[in-house]
Amino acid sequence: MDLDEDITVDETATVLQSLAPTDRFAPCDISTVETAARSTVFAENWNTISDDGWVSVAEHLAGPGPITLYFATDAPAHLDASERGRYTDFVDLLRQHTTGDRLEDTVGPVRWTLTWDSGTGAYKGVRITTDETPPAALADFLEALTIPFQGSSGLDSIIYTVADGETTLHANLSKPDDQVTAAIQAAFAVSGLPGELTINPPAA
């Protein structure tokens, strides 16, 4: 099912709610809904989400994207999004999807995978994998690194992971760069992010 680009959040939520069959054992011919902005929601069983949950899903589908939301019957939901090219677009995507109400408060556990790839010959990237909504402070931290990521600095990648309540944050360098190292440490110090920052030198 494809949704028109002019559809509102409330209309999207109504469509998603209506896909759940009244008989929980009845076959549902629709498994995927895609918006005009190419955001997609896939559900094995539409009955697993409450009406409030579908409103939350519709709000995320209306945000920057494209994003993909998977709902399996017996597993946590999964939100996946990737951005290639403009770093600021990725930070904007992260900020808008992680502020406000937490998605898992209405749909249950959600695993997040968010990635950015510079798309240039010299790899620069960000990978975020969490089993909870990433903190809004993560967007602030990454925004502070806009210049190092967009320039020809030694910053190669940021890896942020949350699993079973444990947070790890790694900044990987492609070459020694004291100025970038100091910028990363300063951004982390003011961000309020949990866990510890590890800055990894270039591989030998």
Side-chain angles (χ1 to χ4, degrees):
M1 174 182 288
D2 295 329
L3 300 182
D4 186 78
E5 62 182 350
D6 295 324
I7 192 169
T8 66
V9 168
D10 288 341
E11 290 169 340
T12 299
T14 298
V15 170
L16 295 174
Q17 292 163 7
S18 70
L19 295 178
T22 54
D23 177 358
R24 63 187 295 264
F25 297 106
C28 182
D29 294 330
I30 298 175
S31 62
T32 305
V33 174
E34 182 173 320
T35 70
R38 295 186 295 112
S39 285
T40 304
V41 56
F42 170 83
E44 293 180 358
N45 183 350
W46 299 93
N47 276 309
T48 58
I49 307 300
S50 67
D51 288 351
D52 287 342
W54 286 125
V55 172
S56 296
V57 170
E59 290 173 345
H60 282 272
L61 292 175
I67 67 166
T68 302
L69 273 161
Y70 302 90
F71 293 99
T73 303
D74 299 314
H78 188 190
L79 187 150
D80 182 87
S82 61
E83 191 75 46
R84 183 178 176 87
R86 292 187 57 181
Y87 179 71
T88 52
D89 287 346
F90 175 74
V91 175
D92 183 55
L93 179 149
L94 174 64
R95 188 181 302 282
Q96 292 197 43
H97 284 289
T98 57
T99 55
D101 295 335
R102 287 156 45 104
L103 184 60
E104 57 261 39
D105 289 341
T106 55
V107 304
V110 180
R111 293 175 178 166
W112 295 64
T113 302
L114 307 171
T115 57
W116 171 73
D117 179 353
S118 66
T120 63
Y123 173 76
K124 291 179 181 288
V126 175
R127 182 171 179 84
I128 300 167
T129 55
T130 81
D131 53 14
E132 59 186 39
T133 299
L138 182 58
D140 295 332
F141 170 73
L142 293 177
E143 185 174 39
L145 301 180
T146 298
I147 292 177
F149 263 129
Q150 290 185 332
S152 57
S153 72
L155 180 54
D156 180 73
S157 61
I158 297 288
I159 310 296
Y160 178 89
T161 304
V162 179
D164 298 326
E166 183 176 346
T167 301
T168 58
L169 177 60
H170 289 264
N172 302 307
L173 302 181
S174 59
K175 62 182 180 180
D177 194 323
D178 292 342
Q179 185 175 0
V180 166
T181 296
I184 296 170
Q185 291 170 333
F188 180 75
V190 301
S191 70
L193 285 170
E196 296 183 359
L197 168 68
T198 301
I199 300 179
N200 299 312

